[in-house]
Amino acid sequence: MRQSSSAAGVLALLQEPDPVFKQHALDVLIPLVPQFWAEISDHISLIEALHENEKLPKKARDSAALLASKVYYFLAVYDEALSFALGAGPAFEAEARAHGSEEYAETVLSKAIDKYIEVRAEEQQSGKSTKVDPRLQTLIENIFTRCIEEREYKQAIGIALESRRLDVIARIYEQTKDTSLLSYAMEGVLDTGFSLLYRDQVLSFLFPLFPQPVTGDISPHVHSLTRLLVTLSNPSLTVTFLTSLVPKEKLLAYQFAFDLVEGGSQDFLESVRSDLPEGDTNTKEIYDKLRSILTGQESVKLYLQFLKRNNHADLVILRNTKDVLEPRSSIYHTALTLQNAFMHSGTTSDIFLHENLDWLGLASNWSKFSATAGLGVIHKGYFEQGMTIVGPYLPQSGGESNIPGAAYSEGGALYALGLINAGCGGQVISYLRDTLKSAQGEVVQHGAALGLGVAAMGSKSADAFEDLKNTLFMDSAVAGEACGYAMGLIMLGTAATESVREMLVYARETQHEKIIRGLAVGVAFIFYGRQEEADQTIKVLLAEKDPILRYGGVYTLALAYSGTANNDAVRQLLHIAVSDTSDDVRRAAVTSLAFLLFKNPSQVPRIVQLLSESYNPHDAVEILEPMTKDSVDFVRQGAFIALGMILVQQSEASSPSLASTRALYHKVVSDKHEDPMARFGAALGQGFIDAGGRNVTISLQSRAGSRNTNAIVGMVMFCQFWYWYPLAHCACLAFDPTGIIGLNADLKAPKFEYVSNARPSLFAYPASTKPPKKEAVHKVATAVLSTTAKVKAREKKKAASDENAMETDDKPEGKKESEGDVEMKDDEPAGDISPINGSISNLAEDGKTSVKATKKAEPSSEMLPNLSRVTPTQLAYITFPPEGRFQPVRAVSAKPLPPSRGAKATSPASAGLVSEKYAGGGCILILSDRRPEEEAEFIDFAPPPAAPAPEAAAPAASAPASSATPVGPHIALDESSPEAGPPEPFEYPFEDDS
């Protein structure tokens, strides 16, 4: 067929009066549009007139509409293209199936879906019924039908969510009975930018569609139900659900209670507890246990036991850091305080502090405040002994102490008390309130306010808010800043309009920058998770002249939309990051991107690379490594801290950069010529990389996939350490223990084992750092000149011949040595001499042994006992042997491995050590006992006896940390406190130095 050079001839046929010629012209022109659309567009008015001409047959009018639609498509006037495509009816449907029209059809259909979504959204917002074009309605219904027929269910659910067509989701579930599709719909509405009102409407619609869960892996939607209940935070719905489980599935009810504690706020959990029925004779015990679990204290006690038993903190690293940092420098003292606190967070192990009382005594003023508050990080969760642990430093009943410097340890102790009771404030809240009201000094008020804010976080206590407000109005810069943060923490996520108004009015009136910053961040906490409800306040704050209030506006935006990856919010933050006149505001905008995108970590490098000097980075480490060599000290500081957070719980097998990063930390901390800010950052990085005895991770989402409120709050507070170092302690709120803790129906921990289907080295603890060897003093060999050696050799030979000796030289080489130059040699024997028995070790043999050991094939799996560490990535590889006595009542991981990838993990790539979407690591699991008639062994949670500090200080000490129950003299932080007594006699294990 000859190729046409113009469509003029065919276009002329459109002027013919005979409809047959017109129909023929239209049929010929439609496939010619891609080539001659510019020429045809000159006659678009004629084509439109043909479509509107009712005298023509319907087929001709539909063809004219299709022709006009395709012309407008090429002109990029998509609204008109859609309008005429709808008018084309069957002609458009036929064209959509034709070869070569795929792009045109896809574009028009996308435009149709967007138009339908827009109309439906306006209808819901206005509350009035809007008339949808019936042709558009028909087209959308056809799309839904085709998606369902072709089993493209997720595509249909996505369109249904956007267009507010929940009936389609119900229709799909009725047809498939696939709960994973309901979970997909739930994640879709939670992780995208839908309004709170519509989000709650969808979740309330989905909840009754989920079938009643039952024990075992046949109910994979348990994690989804947990996330749904936490997000809705509806006490009546939650109580009804738990009550329905009690008669037949009490173990599952216990599991849901533990899972709800992970993500639920204090006031929500308290409402559920109070609304639970008392139960009858058969169920009373079950409801009592549920109430006990929902206090949150059971979870805290279990994780405390896990951290104490598995403490792998490396004291050698701490000792090295202590030896190289000048203790009289406030910044270095604080750096080591924080490093020790983070490394031992939740372990209750204060061995390092007992070992270094002299160093501790050098703390002064705010360093003393930080050091005392560090006890709260170390003993976090030990609420039962909280008052006893920090008791010696708390203000006495007679009021504040008059001893110089005592106010700092008293304020730090109050702050520590709040950290110990974070998430389970209880009776401590009233004590902190009373202390805040009676305190006169601003340092003690500062500590009491911070402790009250952390302990009562999310409690919505109006009385506590009023107490803090009264202290704020005293206009003390130090106390007022803490009050600002604490007021926001107590009213966390309430969007309380009156509270925000009062805080902003005072922020504009005061002259203290510290108070303004505390109030600005406090306002951000109040709008946590409130999305569009915060928009007006965000707009007001970002328009302020004061950069500190704009700084608060940035954090308000970040917290209101945290975890949603809302496009408008990300766009706004990126604009602020490059346009605001204040460095602090721009930095806050970049930091805040993490709070929006933490559920989509793979997006972060792509967005942040626009603001960094790295090009085409694949992960965060590649972005940060160049920054560790930056010329600006605080850039290096931030890079060191961030690397510690990223590499937490990584092994050398899973992350090749781990060893080099540890070496870099040691080098920077030890370099006296390095800037203090960079050394401070490296010390904190060492604390983060080994946080919680190497048994915690930092995760901003819970294991069920909902927001981890404690972690988000902790990280926001930690980010403020830039202005005030004591706020860095709040990072411990983000430390999430990663141990599988199995409990039976009596909430006791039985002894059992489960399988990790991965090479042990992939998820192993890093090797302990070897202490630096003390070089033995060797006798220096005497230098002997070659001429002198020759003379002595000749004399020796002559003397031997004169005496007619029967013996000759021992070695034939001796003759050579006598004739040539003699090398200078040591008198020491070859090999290493043991300091214990003086024997010489054969290094060559040791080397051979180590080579043989490495050749041994590593097993592809391992058995782990109850209360073992399980990292976030490892969780997907955990299975329970089917023949095992104890089985979990729900799936271990919310996102198990797909079958196609196999059950074994033998390499970092197969272990999923990339930016994948996962929540925290191990968790509390309720277990069903398949052989209840057999007697079971249980793990004893009684605190082990405290070991003497010097013994525990030995380099090889890797045993579980000692109990936190106070024994012996308390740690002295005041100059007036009694000195520690001499240590008991002990024998030093020299063999461990080798």
Side-chain angles (χ1 to χ4, degrees), residues 483-560:
C483 288
Y485 292 126
M487 291 162 75
L489 289 173
I490 286 173
M491 305 302 286
L492 184 71
T494 59
T497 309
E498 183 59 25
S499 300
V500 170
R501 189 192 65 78
E502 290 178 335
M503 292 168 72
L504 290 181
V505 166
Y506 194 79
R508 295 185 181 103
E509 290 177 354
T510 185
Q511 300 299 310
H512 297 294
E513 288 189 358
K514 291 172 74 68
I515 294 179
I516 299 172
R517 180 168 289 108
L519 289 169
V521 177
V523 168
F525 285 138
I526 291 177
F527 282 109
Y528 167 71
R530 305 306 296 186
Q531 298 189 24
E532 70 274 2
E533 294 179 25
D535 287 349
Q536 185 57 38
T537 303
I538 293 169
K539 184 178 179 181
V540 170
L541 288 173
L542 292 179
E544 290 279 351
K545 291 182 180 179
D546 188 337
I548 302 177
L549 287 176
R550 294 203 303 275
Y551 177 92
V554 169
Y555 272 103
T556 305
L557 177 62
L559 289 178

Side-chain angles (χ1 to χ4, degrees), residues 24-57:
H24 174 70
L26 291 169
D27 292 342
V28 173
L29 285 171
I30 287 171
L32 295 177
V33 172
Q35 187 178 0
F36 299 113
W37 60 268
E39 186 178 356
I40 299 171
S41 65
D42 292 337
H43 300 77
I44 192 67
S45 56
L46 174 61
I47 297 169
E48 290 181 14
L50 291 175
H51 167 60
E52 295 168 0
N53 189 347
E54 296 183 357
K55 295 180 180 178
L56 290 176

Side-chain angles (χ1 to χ4, degrees), residues 136-439:
L136 178 61
Q137 184 75 42
T138 303
L139 181 62
I140 296 297
E141 292 296 342
N142 290 340
I143 291 174
F144 282 135
T145 302
R146 193 172 69 191
C147 285
I148 294 172
E149 287 175 352
E150 296 176 359
R151 297 181 180 275
E152 295 288 346
Y153 300 122
K154 291 185 177 181
Q155 191 173 0
I157 288 172
I159 299 171
L161 284 175
E162 292 272 8
S163 60
R164 277 67 173 168
R165 287 289 304 277
L166 302 184
D167 60 297
V168 175
I169 298 175
R171 194 169 96 205
I172 291 172
Y173 178 69
E174 287 298 323
Q175 183 172 325
T176 62
K177 296 297 180 183
D178 186 354
T179 55
S180 67
L181 294 176
L182 295 180
S183 299
Y184 176 80
M186 184 199 71
E187 290 175 2
V189 77
L190 287 174
D191 297 338
T192 48
F194 289 108
S195 67
L196 284 179
L197 182 67
Y198 180 59
R199 182 199 73 183
D200 291 349
Q201 179 186 339
V202 174
L203 295 182
S204 300
F205 176 82
L206 291 175
F207 183 75
L209 293 180
F210 280 104
Q212 185 82 346
V214 293
T215 298
D217 288 342
I218 57 174
S219 298
H221 57 282
V222 170
H223 291 280
S224 299
L225 285 172
T226 303
R227 187 179 179 190
L228 193 152
L229 290 170
V230 168
T231 305
L232 283 176
S233 292
N234 184 334
S236 60
L237 185 69
T238 307
V239 168
T240 304
F241 176 69
L242 290 176
T243 306
S244 69
L245 291 175
V246 166
K248 294 183 179 179
E249 298 286 352
K250 69 173 184 178
L251 297 181
L252 209 49
Y254 295 155
Q255 183 68 66
F256 270 104
F258 275 116
D259 293 346
L260 288 172
V261 166
E262 281 193 18
S265 62
Q266 279 195 33
D267 67 313
F268 166 61
L269 296 174
E270 184 59 37
S271 299
V272 175
R273 284 184 66 235
S274 59
D275 292 349
L276 280 173
E278 286 297 322
D280 53 25
T281 53
N282 296 326
T283 59
K284 187 178 187 306
E285 183 183 358
I286 300 173
Y287 284 117
D288 288 343
K289 284 182 181 177
L290 285 175
R291 272 187 283 270
S292 174
I293 294 169
L294 289 169
T295 60
Q297 295 184 354
E298 292 295 329
S299 299
V300 171
K301 286 192 286 189
L302 289 167
Y303 283 131
L304 183 74
Q305 288 290 338
F306 161 72
L307 293 174
K308 285 167 64 175
R309 289 168 175 273
N310 295 278
N311 181 15
H312 280 70
D314 198 335
L315 290 173
V316 176
I317 295 175
L318 277 170
R319 294 188 190 112
N320 291 343
T321 305
K322 172 187 167 290
D323 292 341
V324 297
L325 293 183
E326 172 55 48
R328 293 191 181 276
S329 167
S330 173
I331 185 173
Y332 292 149
H333 200 287
T334 302
L336 185 56
T337 294
L338 290 170
Q339 181 181 340
N340 174 53
F342 291 159
M343 287 177 72
H344 289 100
S345 175
T347 65
T348 72
S349 171
D350 47 21
I351 293 175
F352 179 77
L353 299 179
H354 279 290
E355 280 183 354
N356 298 281
L357 296 177
D358 293 340
W359 165 81
L360 208 55
L362 296 174
S364 61
N365 299 336
W366 287 106
S367 293
K368 184 180 294 184
F369 180 95
S370 292
T372 318
L375 289 173
V377 180
I378 292 171
H379 296 279
K380 175 176 173 280
Y382 202 10
F383 58 88
E384 295 166 313
Q385 293 289 331
M387 293 293 289
T388 308
I389 292 165
V390 298
Y393 319 117
L394 291 171
Q396 302 306 310
S397 56
E400 297 167 46
S401 173
N402 294 322
I403 302 173
Y408 292 98
S409 57
E410 290 175 353
L414 292 167
Y415 184 17
L417 195 59
L419 291 169
I420 290 173
N421 289 272
C424 50
Q427 298 176 351
V428 171
I429 295 175
S430 58
Y431 171 77
L432 289 169
R433 283 182 56 202
D434 293 339
T435 307
L436 178 67
K437 287 185 284 189
S438 61

